[in-house]
Amino acid sequence: MPKILKIILLIERSRAFDREMLQGIVQYSNIHGPWLFYIEPEAYRNDREQTYKWIKGLNADGIIAHTWEADIVKMITKLGLPTIINGKAKPTLRTFARVADQVAIGRMASKYFLERGFKHFAYCGFDDMLWSQHRGKYFSKVVAESGFETHFYRQPKAKHLRTTAKEQKNIAKWLRALPKPVAVMTCNDDRSVDVLVACKIANIEVPREVAILGVDNDELVCELSHPQLSSIALSIKRVGYETAKLLDKLLRGRKLAENEKEVHIFPLHIVTRQSTDIMAIEDQQVEEAVNFIREHSRKILQVNDVARAVGLSRRALEQRFRRALARSVHEEIKYNRVNQMANMLIGTNLSLSQIARLLGYPNASNISRYFKQQRRISPSDYRKKVGPK
């Protein structure tokens, strides 16, 4: 009987990122293990000497940690076990960096708001965090390419003015001065909460005046808020899976190649909740047309179907649609069909042919072509990159 390896997990469980990472680790173990996991007792969190003694007493085979704390990294390294540490900015022999695709995250957020007809945009992040700066940079880049400006919230220079309560008041003042309705991207879900509280301080309606979109899709944070917060879901489970895969290599006595020391995080899709559940389109019948297309995105639609649904001639709808959104009705139909397909590729193990049939196509060739035109990647490659294992 093969030996069951004992793996120590020094990973928090309080946040969605960590819990999803753990799910990915378990998924790898289920396929390639089994492994026996030990999770650091809560009582040891504030006593690293206790943690050290606990680890030494387990006679474990390897460690996976998620931390930036130098003292913990030093403690783990001293043990001499095969170890993967997720979180360090620069990977070393036993560690790797997780690298988020900030370009794709920023682009996804900007396109989401542009498709909803917004003409005013803003970004709220953390000025000292490079990843936050990059998300804002690429968000504003796509917005600028579409002919619009992005308003940035700037934090106070003095650290004592950056307490949560003081910052929320500053954000409220910033929001009051913005043109409305405005689409606000935040660097993460915690920052979305700050913006939401600031809206309440400023007596600003969400989403009618301010629409808020965060990143991470921490369901606990997003769904406990009122109104609930929309967010970009990331490929965190894949990070956990790849982390376990790297540890498995070390456990087998193999060295990690340089190109294996970065694990990339991709945006998967946007979970729309109440904070962005609005269309900023002045033409009511165009808004009705967009909603009709989205509600029927699993069916094969023709432009005439949409025109009949909103009581316009095809010509009139096309003209008004282009005037309001700078794209055709047909492009909107294809976009929503591809979104449905992407969600199925990520969220299910259905074959491409099965997905095509669910979307009303006799085979996968047409929708595969649409998908590649829009996403610049084939459906099969997309699934390999960000989909389930």
Side-chain angles (χ1 to χ4, degrees):
M1 183 177 177
K3 178 186 175 184
I4 297 178
L5 298 174
K6 295 192 287 187
I7 308 301
I8 294 169
L9 301 176
L10 299 179
I11 300 173
E12 288 272 3
R13 282 103 63 204
S14 59
R15 302 309 300 265
F17 186 101
D18 303 291
R19 293 193 297 273
E20 287 194 45
M21 185 174 163
L22 287 168
Q23 289 172 18
I25 293 169
V26 170
Q27 188 180 44
Y28 185 88
S29 170
N30 289 342
I31 297 170
H32 301 282
W35 291 351
L36 182 61
F37 294 110
Y38 294 89
I39 297 178
E40 180 186 18
E42 292 286 342
Y44 296 169
R45 288 280 161 82
N46 297 320
D47 187 345
R48 289 307 171 192
E49 191 61 37
Q50 278 282 80
T51 299
Y52 185 73
K53 290 177 182 177
W54 171 73
I55 293 173
K56 287 196 74 175
L58 290 173
N59 193 29
D61 296 289
I63 300 173
I64 296 176
H66 178 201
T67 183
W68 285 266
E69 296 181 38
D71 60 331
I72 300 176
V73 173
K74 185 178 179 181
M75 176 195 75
I76 294 169
T77 305
K78 191 167 73 170
L79 291 162
L81 293 172
T83 301
I84 296 293
I85 302 173
N86 171 13
K88 285 179 69 66
K90 292 183 180 179
T92 57
L93 182 63
R94 289 189 177 87
T95 68
F96 76 93
R98 54 181 172 84
V99 181
D101 189 341
Q102 312 296 6
V103 177
I105 291 169
R107 288 181 66 85
M108 182 176 282
S110 55
K111 287 186 174 183
Y112 175 79
F113 281 134
L114 286 163
E115 284 152 11
R116 288 176 173 264
F118 282 92
K119 293 179 173 59
H120 305 297
F121 302 85
Y123 181 79
C124 184
F126 298 110
D127 291 353
D128 298 338
M129 302 291 185
L130 192 60
W131 56 269
S132 175
Q133 294 171 24
H134 285 169
R135 288 179 186 179
K137 173 184 175 181
Y138 296 114
F139 174 74
S140 64
K141 186 174 185 292
V142 176
V143 167
E145 288 168 358
S146 300
F148 303 107
E149 177 188 1
T150 300
H151 303 269
F152 282 81
Y153 170 72
R154 299 300 180 192
Q155 291 183 279
K157 297 293 183 186
K159 299 292 184 182
H160 72 277
L161 297 177
R162 294 190 183 185
T163 63
T164 299
K166 288 178 180 177
E167 274 237 89
Q168 287 171 350
K169 288 180 181 177
N170 287 333
I171 294 170
K173 183 178 178 181
W174 172 69
L175 289 170
R176 284 192 194 100
L178 296 179
K180 310 292 189 306
V182 61
V184 179
M185 180 192 178
T186 67
C187 63
N188 63 12
D189 295 329
D190 290 336
R191 207 50 162 164
S192 286
V193 172
D194 288 335
V195 173
L196 182 60
V197 173
C199 285
K200 292 176 181 178
I201 292 170
N203 199 27
I204 293 170
E205 289 186 42
V206 176
R208 190 178 66 82
E209 294 177 278
V210 173
I212 307 168
L213 175 66
V215 183
D216 287 342
N217 193 37
D218 188 321
E219 292 183 356
L220 197 61
V221 172
C222 294
E223 293 180 6
L224 281 178
S225 300
H226 182 73
Q228 293 184 346
L229 294 164
S230 299
S231 187
I232 298 175
L234 304 177
S235 58
I236 309 304
K237 286 182 187 175
R238 191 176 185 87
V239 172
Y241 187 96
E242 294 297 328
T243 301
K245 185 177 178 181
L246 291 177
L247 180 64
D248 201 9
K249 283 196 171 186
L250 292 180
L251 292 168
R252 296 172 189 273
R254 295 168 62 186
K255 290 184 178 181
L256 302 184
E258 283 302 317
N259 63 357
E260 292 179 304
K261 293 183 180 179
E262 290 186 349
V263 175
H264 290 259
I265 302 173
F266 305 99
L268 299 177
H269 54 85
I270 292 174
V271 180
T272 297
R273 299 186 180 91
Q274 295 164 332
S275 70
T276 60
D277 194 10
I278 191 170
M279 299 293 295
I281 302 172
E282 294 177 4
D283 190 319
Q284 186 177 347
Q285 284 174 295
V286 171
E287 181 178 348
E288 289 174 6
V290 171
N291 288 332
F292 179 82
I293 291 168
R294 289 182 177 171
E295 287 166 8
H296 295 82
S297 58
R298 285 203 176 197
K299 299 178 181 178
I300 294 179
L301 283 180
Q302 304 298 330
V303 177
N304 286 335
D305 299 327
V306 184
R308 278 194 298 271
V310 298
L312 291 173
S313 69
R314 175 172 178 153
R315 180 178 174 80
L317 176 62
E318 288 282 14
Q319 289 175 338
R320 289 165 66 168
F321 210 93
R322 282 195 176 277
R323 190 160 54 243
L325 297 173
R327 59 183 180 270
S328 72
V329 181
H330 184 59
E331 286 170 337
E332 181 72 12
I333 291 170
K334 284 200 301 183
Y335 174 82
N336 280 273
R337 301 282 281 168
V338 167
N339 267 0
Q340 279 287 348
M341 187 178 181
N343 290 338
M344 290 181 180
L345 288 167
I346 293 167
T348 76
N349 286 309
L350 295 172
S351 69
L352 203 54
S353 297
Q354 288 172 315
I355 291 172
R357 284 197 295 273
L358 283 172
L359 294 176
Y361 290 95
N363 57 63
S365 58
N366 283 347
I367 197 163
S368 294
R369 186 171 66 253
Y370 292 157
F371 192 95
K372 193 165 185 178
Q373 285 172 352
Q374 284 195 25
R375 299 291 177 110
R376 298 177 184 176
I377 187 172
S378 71
S380 56
D381 287 343
Y382 179 78
R383 172 171 266 173
K384 286 176 188 173
K385 182 178 179 182
V386 300
K389 292 290 180 181

mmCIF file of all heavy atoms in Angstrom, residues 33 52 69 113 116 132-133 136 151 238 329 373 377 381 385:
data_model
loop_
_atom_site.group_PDB
_atom_site.id
_atom_site.type_symbol
_atom_site.label_atom_id
_atom_site.label_comp_id
_atom_site.label_asym_id
_atom_site.label_seq_id
_atom_site.Cartn_x
_atom_site.Cartn_y
_atom_site.Cartn_z
ATOM 1 N N GLY A 33 -3.382 11.986 -4.940
ATOM 2 C CA GLY A 33 -2.996 11.537 -3.605
ATOM 3 C C GLY A 33 -3.400 10.105 -3.331
ATOM 4 O O GLY A 33 -3.157 9.219 -4.169
ATOM 5 N N TYR A 52 6.021 26.134 15.577
ATOM 6 C CA TYR A 52 7.244 25.418 15.217
ATOM 7 C C TYR A 52 7.302 24.047 15.890
ATOM 8 O O TYR A 52 7.590 23.027 15.251
ATOM 9 C CB TYR A 52 8.459 26.268 15.606
ATOM 10 C CG TYR A 52 9.783 25.686 15.175
ATOM 11 C CD1 TYR A 52 10.174 25.707 13.843
ATOM 12 C CD2 TYR A 52 10.646 25.112 16.120
ATOM 13 C CE1 TYR A 52 11.392 25.176 13.443
ATOM 14 C CE2 TYR A 52 11.868 24.578 15.723
ATOM 15 C CZ TYR A 52 12.227 24.617 14.395
ATOM 16 O OH TYR A 52 13.436 24.077 13.999
ATOM 17 N N GLU A 69 4.701 37.072 5.645
ATOM 18 C CA GLU A 69 5.422 37.414 6.868
ATOM 19 C C GLU A 69 6.818 36.776 6.880
ATOM 20 O O GLU A 69 6.957 35.565 6.812
ATOM 21 C CB GLU A 69 4.634 36.961 8.095
ATOM 22 C CG GLU A 69 3.299 37.686 8.251
ATOM 23 C CD GLU A 69 2.540 37.232 9.487
ATOM 24 O OE1 GLU A 69 3.200 36.998 10.527
ATOM 25 O OE2 GLU A 69 1.310 37.105 9.412
ATOM 26 N N PHE A 113 -18.673 47.724 -17.774
ATOM 27 C CA PHE A 113 -19.372 48.994 -17.574
ATOM 28 C C PHE A 113 -19.709 49.678 -18.901
ATOM 29 O O PHE A 113 -20.783 50.275 -19.047
ATOM 30 C CB PHE A 113 -18.528 49.925 -16.699
ATOM 31 C CG PHE A 113 -18.578 49.624 -15.226
ATOM 32 C CD1 PHE A 113 -17.416 49.590 -14.474
ATOM 33 C CD2 PHE A 113 -19.786 49.400 -14.583
ATOM 34 C CE1 PHE A 113 -17.459 49.338 -13.111
ATOM 35 C CE2 PHE A 113 -19.844 49.141 -13.223
ATOM 36 C CZ PHE A 113 -18.672 49.109 -12.475
ATOM 37 N N ARG A 116 -22.731 48.384 -20.420
ATOM 38 C CA ARG A 116 -23.942 48.817 -19.723
ATOM 39 C C ARG A 116 -24.274 50.280 -19.994
ATOM 40 O O ARG A 116 -25.203 50.827 -19.403
ATOM 41 C CB ARG A 116 -23.795 48.561 -18.220
ATOM 42 C CG ARG A 116 -23.866 47.074 -17.904
ATOM 43 C CD ARG A 116 -23.627 46.709 -16.461
ATOM 44 N NE ARG A 116 -23.892 45.272 -16.332
ATOM 45 C CZ ARG A 116 -25.039 44.743 -15.921
ATOM 46 N NH1 ARG A 116 -26.026 45.545 -15.570
ATOM 47 N NH2 ARG A 116 -25.206 43.443 -15.864
ATOM 48 N N SER A 132 -2.855 47.076 -7.034
ATOM 49 C CA SER A 132 -4.004 47.978 -7.110
ATOM 50 C C SER A 132 -3.776 49.053 -8.166
ATOM 51 O O SER A 132 -4.681 49.379 -8.945
ATOM 52 C CB SER A 132 -4.249 48.616 -5.742
ATOM 53 O OG SER A 132 -5.276 49.584 -5.811
ATOM 54 N N GLN A 133 -2.565 49.595 -8.200
ATOM 55 C CA GLN A 133 -2.226 50.599 -9.222
ATOM 56 C C GLN A 133 -2.416 50.034 -10.623
ATOM 57 O O GLN A 133 -2.957 50.699 -11.515
ATOM 58 C CB GLN A 133 -0.778 51.060 -9.039
ATOM 59 C CG GLN A 133 -0.498 51.815 -7.755
ATOM 60 C CD GLN A 133 0.990 52.027 -7.557
ATOM 61 O OE1 GLN A 133 1.778 52.019 -8.506
ATOM 62 N NE2 GLN A 133 1.404 52.212 -6.312
ATOM 63 N N GLY A 136 -6.102 49.695 -11.705
ATOM 64 C CA GLY A 136 -6.632 51.001 -12.091
ATOM 65 C C GLY A 136 -6.086 51.474 -13.421
ATOM 66 O O GLY A 136 -6.804 52.041 -14.257
ATOM 67 N N HIS A 151 -11.881 58.914 -13.221
ATOM 68 C CA HIS A 151 -11.555 59.713 -12.032
ATOM 69 C C HIS A 151 -10.971 58.786 -10.970
ATOM 70 O O HIS A 151 -11.578 57.777 -10.616
ATOM 71 C CB HIS A 151 -12.805 60.401 -11.491
ATOM 72 C CG HIS A 151 -13.492 61.282 -12.493
ATOM 73 N ND1 HIS A 151 -13.192 62.627 -12.633
ATOM 74 C CD2 HIS A 151 -14.447 61.009 -13.424
ATOM 75 C CE1 HIS A 151 -13.941 63.148 -13.594
ATOM 76 N NE2 HIS A 151 -14.709 62.181 -14.087
ATOM 77 N N ARG A 238 -7.584 27.186 -9.087
ATOM 78 C CA ARG A 238 -6.470 26.740 -9.941
ATOM 79 C C ARG A 238 -5.123 27.036 -9.280
ATOM 80 O O ARG A 238 -4.171 26.261 -9.419
ATOM 81 C CB ARG A 238 -6.559 27.430 -11.307
ATOM 82 C CG ARG A 238 -5.607 26.841 -12.334
ATOM 83 C CD ARG A 238 -5.808 27.480 -13.689
ATOM 84 N NE ARG A 238 -4.970 26.841 -14.692
ATOM 85 C CZ ARG A 238 -5.323 25.766 -15.390
ATOM 86 N NH1 ARG A 238 -6.508 25.220 -15.172
ATOM 87 N NH2 ARG A 238 -4.513 25.236 -16.268
ATOM 88 N N VAL A 329 -26.848 45.336 -32.949
ATOM 89 C CA VAL A 329 -27.669 44.379 -32.208
ATOM 90 C C VAL A 329 -27.079 42.979 -32.358
ATOM 91 O O VAL A 329 -27.011 42.209 -31.391
ATOM 92 C CB VAL A 329 -29.133 44.406 -32.706
ATOM 93 C CG1 VAL A 329 -29.983 43.422 -31.920
ATOM 94 C CG2 VAL A 329 -29.714 45.813 -32.604
ATOM 95 N N GLN A 373 -13.231 34.606 -32.148
ATOM 96 C CA GLN A 373 -13.210 35.988 -32.631
ATOM 97 C C GLN A 373 -13.241 36.975 -31.470
ATOM 98 O O GLN A 373 -12.541 37.980 -31.477
ATOM 99 C CB GLN A 373 -14.413 36.230 -33.551
ATOM 100 C CG GLN A 373 -14.285 35.611 -34.937
ATOM 101 C CD GLN A 373 -15.574 35.712 -35.738
ATOM 102 O OE1 GLN A 373 -16.619 36.118 -35.218
ATOM 103 N NE2 GLN A 373 -15.515 35.333 -37.006
ATOM 104 N N ILE A 377 -9.009 33.253 -28.361
ATOM 105 C CA ILE A 377 -8.517 31.972 -27.883
ATOM 106 C C ILE A 377 -9.595 30.940 -28.193
ATOM 107 O O ILE A 377 -10.784 31.261 -28.178
ATOM 108 C CB ILE A 377 -8.215 32.032 -26.366
ATOM 109 C CG1 ILE A 377 -7.548 30.751 -25.880
ATOM 110 C CG2 ILE A 377 -9.481 32.322 -25.561
ATOM 111 C CD1 ILE A 377 -7.060 30.833 -24.421
ATOM 112 N N ASP A 381 -8.735 25.775 -25.549
ATOM 113 C CA ASP A 381 -7.586 26.406 -24.893
ATOM 114 C C ASP A 381 -8.034 27.274 -23.722
ATOM 115 O O ASP A 381 -7.344 27.357 -22.693
ATOM 116 C CB ASP A 381 -6.791 27.253 -25.893
ATOM 117 C CG ASP A 381 -5.996 26.399 -26.871
ATOM 118 O OD1 ASP A 381 -5.806 25.204 -26.579
ATOM 119 O OD2 ASP A 381 -5.601 26.929 -27.928
ATOM 120 N N LYS A 385 -6.936 26.870 -19.813
ATOM 121 C CA LYS A 385 -6.277 27.993 -19.131
ATOM 122 C C LYS A 385 -6.963 28.335 -17.813
ATOM 123 O O LYS A 385 -6.297 28.513 -16.790
ATOM 124 C CB LYS A 385 -6.290 29.216 -20.061
ATOM 125 C CG LYS A 385 -5.596 30.447 -19.519
ATOM 126 C CD LYS A 385 -5.640 31.566 -20.555
ATOM 127 C CE LYS A 385 -4.978 32.826 -20.030
ATOM 128 N NZ LYS A 385 -5.047 33.938 -21.008
#
